[in-house]
Amino acid sequence: QQQVKQSPQSLIVQKGGISIINCAYENTAFDYFPWYQQFPGKGPALLIAIRPDVSEKKEGRFTISFNKSAKQFSLHIMDSQPGDSATYFCAATQLGAGSYQLTFGKGTKLSVIP
Amino acid sequence: DTAVSQTPKYLVTQMGNDKSIKCEQNLGHDTMYWYKQDSKKFLKIMFSYNNKELIINETVPNRFSPKSPDKAHLNLHINSLELGDSAVYFCASSPLRVSTDTQYFGPGTRLTVL
């Protein structure tokens, strides 16, 4: 099944805290896992992505942790800032010929309060 | 220097009307997409075109018809609009999918059917 389950639906974090969003997938053929960030009134934009050959990828305050055996991956936002308040979508896809479908989770609305 | 542009940004219309949304990308990408984002922020792919050929056609009503006059354009035409069509529609594009699949989203078109 081409499904990606994302939790929580909404998240409130104090400024400076750690935000954690979790995703789980079912299709073991998925081999690319991006996270998208969407601000109100804007289109989603790629934040960070990971391939399953690594267990962690870090870019600044954003880290993806990947557990292939559990078919789970998560986004950690360290030192969360009010400017991080947005909706975050995890996604998964199978790269390679013939597959152009990016399956999105249902999104997590993050609010970082000062 | 807009990457993916959509027109119009807002579209308010009556039930039963026919309307079109235009999308253009100046990134030289081969693949373009249409997504529907409902009121709960769920992003669902509708269509995908690669080099002007339809690749993905999810289970959307046949009132929705994509048209790709060239690689840089993917327009969405909707016939006999219904209340349930109210949503934000995003166009996106992506380059050749080898090791990554970064999709670049347009700003969205908010469609309201009265």
Side-chain angles (χ1 to χ4, degrees):
Chain A
Q1 181 143 351
Q2 301 273 346
Q3 198 173 9
V4 177
K5 294 181 180 178
Q6 182 172 348
S7 62
Q9 192 173 357
S10 63
L11 182 61
I12 299 174
V13 173
Q14 290 273 0
K15 178 183 175 182
I18 302 173
S19 303
I20 301 174
I21 304 170
N22 300 300
C23 284
Y25 64 96
E26 298 171 358
N27 187 345
T28 54
F30 286 150
D31 57 4
Y32 181 72
F33 302 88
W35 285 88
Y36 281 77
Q37 179 187 54
Q38 184 180 24
F39 293 106
K42 304 290 185 185
L46 180 68
L47 183 64
I48 187 173
I50 196 168
R51 298 290 303 273
D53 50 346
V54 296
S55 60
E56 186 175 281
K57 183 172 181 181
K58 184 175 180 179
E59 289 184 2
R61 296 183 294 108
F62 300 90
T63 300
I64 300 179
S65 297
F66 187 82
N67 185 329
K68 189 174 181 178
S69 59
K71 292 188 287 185
Q72 295 175 345
F73 59 109
S74 59
L75 177 69
H76 296 235
I77 306 174
M78 311 300 288
D79 187 25
S80 298
Q81 298 296 312
D84 297 331
S85 297
T87 300
Y88 292 81
F89 294 92
C90 63
T93 190
Q94 179 183 359
L95 295 176
S99 174
Y100 294 84
Q101 186 163 353
L102 193 58
T103 301
F104 284 90
K106 293 193 173 183
T108 297
K109 184 175 180 180
L110 171 66
S111 300
V112 181
I113 53 178
Chain B
D1 57 347
T2 304
V4 181
S5 59
Q6 295 178 228
T7 53
K9 187 164 177 62
Y10 300 97
L11 186 52
V12 181
T13 187
Q14 299 284 338
M15 275 177 54
N17 284 351
D18 302 339
K19 290 293 178 186
S20 293
I21 306 172
K22 293 185 176 181
C23 177
E24 177 181 4
Q25 55 98 1
N26 62 6
L27 298 166
H29 290 166
D30 291 322
T31 309
M32 296 185 72
Y33 312 81
W34 276 107
Y35 287 89
K36 180 181 180 180
Q37 187 170 49
D38 61 24
S39 58
K40 295 183 178 179
K41 296 289 190 181
F42 183 48
L43 265 173
K44 183 168 170 50
I45 190 164
M46 300 174 68
F47 301 101
S48 170
Y49 266 74
N50 180 253
N51 280 323
K52 295 171 54 182
E53 287 188 31
L54 180 64
I55 303 296
I56 295 172
N57 183 354
E58 288 297 299
T59 51
V60 300
N62 56 15
R63 299 181 293 104
F64 291 79
S65 54
K67 296 242 181 342
S68 181
D70 55 57
K71 275 177 45 174
H73 296 84
L74 181 62
N75 304 322
L76 184 64
H77 189 76
I78 315 170
N79 289 327
S80 303
L81 278 155
E82 300 178 356
L83 292 176
D85 297 332
S86 295
V88 180
Y89 292 84
F90 287 100
C91 177
S93 72
S94 67
L96 183 64
R97 302 166 96 251
V98 178
S99 58
T100 65
D101 178 30
T102 301
Q103 296 196 10
Y104 296 81
F105 284 78
T109 295
R110 181 174 293 277
L111 171 64
T112 303
V113 182
L114 304 175

